[in-house]
Amino acid sequence: MPYSREHKQNSREKILQSAYRLFSTKGFDNVTVDRVMQDCSLTRGAFYGHFRSKSELYKEALKFAASNSKLADIKPEGLSSREWLSVLLDGYLSLEHVYGERPCPLAFLATDIVSRDKETHKTYAQVYTRMNQLILDYAGRDTVKNSQDVFSLTSMIIGAVAVSRTLEDQQQVQQILSSCRQQARLMLGGI
Amino acid sequence: MPYSREHKQNSREKILQSAYRLFSTKGFDNVTVDRVMQDCSLTRGAFYGHFRSKSELYKEALKFAASNSKLADIKPEGLSSREWLSVLLDGYLSLEHVYGERPCPLAFLATDIVSRDKETHKTYAQVYTRMNQLILDYAGRDTVKNSQDVFSLTSMIIGAVAVSRTLEDQQQVQQILSSCRQQARLMLGGI
DNA sequence: ATCTAAATATGATCTTTATCATATATAGAT
DNA sequence: ATCTATATATGATAAAGATCATATTTAGAT
């Protein structure tokens, strides 16, 4: 047996991490396999030992990002679900998220996904459903009049960060995020 | 003088129309110059008589889309500004818009823009500002507590249609759009 | 009818990049 | 030490597509 048992698994995770960071900031076509591998200090050739194709990498990176996203973090002890949800939303609607290393795939891949294959669409849809579900759960289902109300909340926060990343004017971005944080609190009262 | 005086202008508009339709559904890299020209029954060569490069085409198509978008339509006689705004928002949050021929560039190019050049970013930002302004104007500025409140509304509707286009489940899309239409009405009360 | 400038079409070039074929390096087992 | 399966690296191939150089078509003016 060559290398240690975990070596390949480690490499795979490094590739996924680099891939997602690059894909989410540049989109599928503006990222080359070479660039991803350079980013994690490996080379082209090694790539095909881990993934069948660039498309497969994209899909796996999407799954990887979903399970490692801020929104998947575990609620700390001593906070109510509602309080934790509030923390999560503020984190989501923050500059750190907009420009950070673990951006939400729902926002940052939104229009990029359209040209990908059916499987990838399905994965995206699953991530989307999970996000809505998670917010519903934290908000407390018993207080929900209509579970569909959550869609307007997620639309808003996804739209906000997606647009924010394209804007140069930092002050305007701050205003957008702030406006949405405030609105989110109002909506959660309603939900 | 060859051709009629308006011929070239007509060609230019046809190119822009095809270009925007394709760019907004597939993104910059998944559209070739060839494909655009085929779409409007011209050929590659003619292209460079109209635009310096594919990048320039993209930028011009973005401007073109902005000035021809649903939201730029003129208010018909006999409707109050608020009523007209309501019509516009329902149109924006409709299946026809999500899958139609005149989609909103703010939503459908959102993440695609990130990899484009500075000029294009600037154009996008202008379109974004115009959209917010337009909604503020129709909503009636005197009734606005805080003009920044409009950002959460535009984030929501942009996010809603951007995400909707990636989802396969038509029923879910309907629910998202419906949820946002309802929420928009609530928010306009507040604005 | 013919001439001409503008618009459009066609063929060629050159770069980029995904993927493959092949070679080398690694580290556990003998 | 050496052997071997696996991980990684390097060089080659081939296709796609943006752009350019050149040819052809168009329709108004003479």
Side-chain angles (χ1 to χ4, degrees), chain A residues 55-102:
Chain A
S55 291
E56 185 180 307
L57 173 65
Y58 187 91
K59 195 163 26 194
E60 292 301 317
L62 169 56
K63 285 190 209 164
F64 178 80
S67 50
N68 287 37
S69 94
K70 277 190 206 299
L71 289 178
D73 286 348
I74 308 297
K75 175 164 77 77
E77 296 294 325
L79 280 183
S80 75
S81 293
R82 288 296 278 273
E83 288 168 335
W84 178 230
L85 179 53
S86 178
V87 170
L88 286 178
L89 288 176
D90 284 352
Y92 196 95
L93 293 166
S94 69
L95 281 181
E96 297 75 51
H97 180 216
V98 171
Y99 301 110
E101 297 278 297
R102 281 162 77 200

Side-chain angles (χ1 to χ4, degrees), chain A residues 25-27 29-30 106-116 118 121-122 124-125 128-129 132 146 148-153 155-160 162-163 165-168 172 175-176 178-180 182-183 187, chain B residues 25-27 29-30 106-116 118 121-122 124-125 128-129 132 146 148-153 155-160 162-163 165-168 172 175-176 178-180 182-183 187:
Chain A
T25 43
K26 300 169 186 300
D29 296 288
N30 295 290
L106 295 170
F108 296 100
L109 301 180
T111 59
D112 201 49
I113 291 284
V114 180
S115 305
R116 307 278 78 75
K118 220 179 176 64
H121 283 215
K122 203 178 283 180
Y124 184 89
Y128 178 69
T129 300
N132 283 296
N146 185 347
Q148 297 178 20
D149 289 345
V150 76
F151 291 135
S152 55
L153 176 61
S155 295
M156 180 181 75
I157 67 177
I158 290 171
V163 168
R165 193 166 227 181
T166 70
L167 300 176
E168 240 104 69
Q172 190 175 31
Q175 290 178 347
I176 294 168
S178 156
S179 169
C180 289
Q182 191 180 329
Q183 184 64 36
M187 288 162 99
Chain B
T25 44
K26 300 170 187 299
D29 296 288
N30 295 291
L106 294 170
F108 295 101
L109 300 180
T111 60
D112 200 47
I113 291 285
V114 180
S115 305
R116 306 280 76 74
K118 217 176 177 65
H121 283 215
K122 203 178 280 179
Y124 184 90
Y128 177 69
T129 300
N132 284 296
N146 185 346
Q148 297 179 19
D149 289 347
V150 75
F151 291 135
S152 55
L153 175 61
S155 294
M156 180 182 75
I157 67 177
I158 290 170
V163 169
R165 193 166 226 180
T166 71
L167 299 175
E168 240 102 69
Q172 191 176 28
Q175 290 178 347
I176 294 168
S178 155
S179 168
C180 290
Q182 192 180 328
Q183 183 63 36
M187 288 162 98

